Amino acid sequence: MSLLMFLLGLVTGAIALHIDEFNVYNYGASGSGEIDDSHAFVNAWRDACKVRTQYARVIVPEGTFLLNPLMFSGPCNPQNIHFKVLGTIISTGSPKSWNGRDPSQWIAFKDVTGLNVYGSGVVDGQGMGWWDQSCRDHPKLEGCTKLAPTIIKFISCKEGTLSNINIVNSPQTHVLIFYSKGFNVDNVTIQSPERSPNTDGIHIHSSQFVNITNSIIGTGDDCISIGDYTSNMDIANIECGPGHGISIGSLGKNKEVAMVENIRVHDSTLKGTTNGARIKTWQGGQGNIRHVTFENIVFDAVNNPIIIDQNYCDVRGTCKEEKTGVKINDVVYENLNGTSSSEIAINLNCSKFVHCSGIIMENITLVSIQEGNPVTANCTNAEGTEVGVNPGSCFKK
């Protein structure tokens, strides 16, 4: 290689790696945690989004930044736009702050390609005020709320990432990935109290090619929940608990058509959760859940380690029996072991009209958390095969 070519390569590399930075302090943010810094964040995002370079970065430095509900919208000019959080972002914590605003939303990114949200900082939803007036826990409270803000929403985002960040105390769901494609979540910590209502860790809906890896999630609801029209997901190396487990569904409510396929959950641990590997659908729905794999999972004092509930109802026993249902087939459970805190460690409760089929169970060992107590398997209207399963036998011969 000639010297000229070498120098041209260095210059080209330097140009390619150039990142324009937009620090919220330069836009008037106080970082005191007492003054609304929303305006500074909006303006920093505006300039980062419109700058005509390949890479741009919004920087949230050390400090505490109080934000009201915000929407960071694209499309943006840079090929990649980074949102680096080093400090702490907090909400007001007061439901009254949402008067006249969308009650489901706090921080949202919409129509952004190549978005990377990351950093060592904290995003704190300060959800206590919402929990104290939730209809689930306070049904007789006048003006109780059924809908509360999600901390971070990614709406119609492509080829994005969320990584190395702490997300805590959401009023409701912590992270929502919605109508997005090619999105990776890695090395995040999500935490809220075990009794906090409806605080799913990560919910995915109408999205494809989503990976969630190397994360610690403990909440008052599902650690990860997979909603409708979601496909090609890989979930790995998750520490889940407390919470309601890793769930597909619920799907098919109000006779809706569901489609979830190509989901793999593996190499993860669930500790002290109410459910483990769960699939839940409403009676009366239509569509399919198929090509699902749960493998290499450890359960530690989980109440329902393996569960399919094709007769899901928000108030058990009150839902009308229907002759249609979401079809569940081609589900693999392999190399699962650990302890159950209930007698029924495997419970496949499927519809008598739309059976679960193509269920494969291999190399499963589940025992009671109470040494010497038996555990059982219960499979109703489920068809499949099992090899090396304890407890067994589940399927009718």
Side-chain angles (χ1 to χ4, degrees):
M1 180 185 295
S2 69
L3 179 59
L4 177 58
M5 290 180 64
F6 176 75
L7 292 174
L8 284 173
L10 290 178
V11 171
T12 302
I15 293 172
L17 294 174
H18 175 73
I19 300 177
D20 281 45
E21 295 189 339
F22 303 86
N23 190 313
V24 296
Y25 275 140
N26 295 334
Y27 291 82
S30 74
S32 66
E34 298 176 355
I35 299 173
D36 182 11
D37 286 324
S38 301
H39 191 65
F41 277 64
V42 167
N43 289 338
W45 175 266
R46 177 201 63 208
D47 288 353
C49 186
K50 73 179 183 180
V51 69
R52 294 199 173 277
T53 56
Q54 193 171 3
Y55 303 101
R57 180 186 291 135
V58 174
I59 298 178
V60 182
E62 292 185 3
T64 301
F65 301 89
L66 176 65
L67 298 185
N68 278 303
L70 291 178
M71 172 76 78
F72 299 109
S73 296
C76 296
N77 288 325
Q79 177 181 323
N80 290 99
I81 185 163
H82 303 269
F83 197 97
K84 185 174 184 179
V85 181
L86 299 175
T88 299
I89 299 173
I90 62 172
S91 82
T92 65
S94 170
K96 292 181 180 179
S97 300
W98 268 259
N99 287 346
R101 295 178 164 130
D102 180 354
S104 74
Q105 184 171 297
W106 178 31
I107 298 171
F109 297 88
K110 184 178 181 182
D111 295 324
V112 186
T113 298
L115 170 68
N116 302 304
V117 178
Y118 65 101
S120 57
V122 177
V123 186
D124 186 348
Q126 303 207 95
M128 180 65 76
W130 294 90
W131 307 334
D132 286 345
Q133 65 178 43
S134 77
C135 292
R136 190 201 76 172
D137 292 349
H138 308 280
K140 296 182 180 180
L141 177 68
E142 184 177 353
C144 71
T145 52
K146 294 183 179 180
L147 184 62
T150 292
I151 286 186
I152 303 179
K153 288 184 179 181
F154 299 96
I155 306 168
S156 300
C157 292
K158 297 179 180 179
E159 306 304 326
T161 67
L162 174 69
S163 61
N164 305 307
I165 199 165
N166 300 292
I167 303 170
V168 300
N169 299 324
S170 184
Q172 204 154 308
T173 300
H174 288 74
V175 177
L176 171 65
I177 300 171
F178 187 58
Y179 281 108
S180 295
K181 187 174 183 179
F183 204 96
N184 294 322
V185 179
D186 183 68
N187 194 33
V188 301
T189 299
I190 297 174
Q191 294 179 318
S192 63
E194 185 173 4
R195 285 292 305 158
S196 56
N198 304 313
T199 52
D200 291 62
I202 303 173
H203 180 69
I204 305 95
H205 190 92
S206 298
S207 297
Q208 296 79 42
F209 300 100
V210 176
N211 298 321
I212 303 174
T213 54
N214 306 313
S215 295
I216 299 171
I217 305 174
T219 68
D221 210 305
D222 294 327
C223 293
I224 299 171
S225 57
I226 300 167
D228 209 354
Y229 296 101
T230 298
S231 61
N232 298 296
M233 277 198 65
D234 190 87
I235 299 169
N237 297 310
I238 306 298
E239 294 182 23
C240 169
H244 294 180
I246 298 175
S247 298
I248 297 174
S250 59
L251 303 177
K253 189 175 184 179
N254 299 321
K255 300 187 177 181
E256 294 171 348
V257 178
M259 178 55 70
V260 171
E261 60 185 352
N262 299 328
I263 310 295
R264 184 176 180 229
V265 182
H266 60 103
D267 297 290
S268 296
T269 301
L270 295 96
K271 183 174 183 179
T273 55
T274 55
N275 302 286
R278 176 163 68 159
I279 299 174
K280 49 180 178 173
T281 65
W282 293 76
Q283 294 188 77
Q286 300 177 66
N288 291 277
I289 298 173
R290 60 194 179 194
H291 311 318
V292 176
T293 298
F294 297 98
E295 63 181 331
N296 301 330
I297 297 175
V298 175
F299 304 107
D300 184 352
V302 172
N303 197 47
N304 300 295
I306 298 173
I307 180 168
I308 293 177
D309 188 356
Q310 214 173 359
N311 300 293
Y312 182 75
C313 182
D314 49 1
V315 180
R316 186 166 294 279
T318 64
C319 295
K320 179 183 176 182
E321 185 174 75
E322 302 280 357
K323 293 186 177 181
T324 60
V326 179
K327 177 65 177 175
I328 299 172
N329 71 297
D330 189 14
V331 180
V332 176
Y333 301 92
E334 185 175 4
N335 297 329
L336 311 184
N337 66 83
T339 56
S340 173
S341 55
S342 66
E343 181 183 345
I344 303 176
I346 300 174
N347 188 7
L348 308 188
N349 176 25
C350 300
S351 165
K352 69 179 181 180
F353 298 104
V354 185
H355 293 187
C356 302
S357 61
I359 310 297
I360 298 174
M361 294 187 178
E362 294 185 358
N363 193 23
I364 297 172
T365 303
L366 297 169
V367 298
S368 174
I369 192 174
Q370 299 292 334
E371 188 175 350
N373 285 359
V375 294
T376 61
N378 176 56
C379 294
T380 304
N381 303 314
E383 302 161 0
T385 61
E386 54 190 339
V387 177
V389 176
N390 178 50
S393 167
C394 196
F395 302 115
K396 293 180 180 180
K397 301 299 184 183

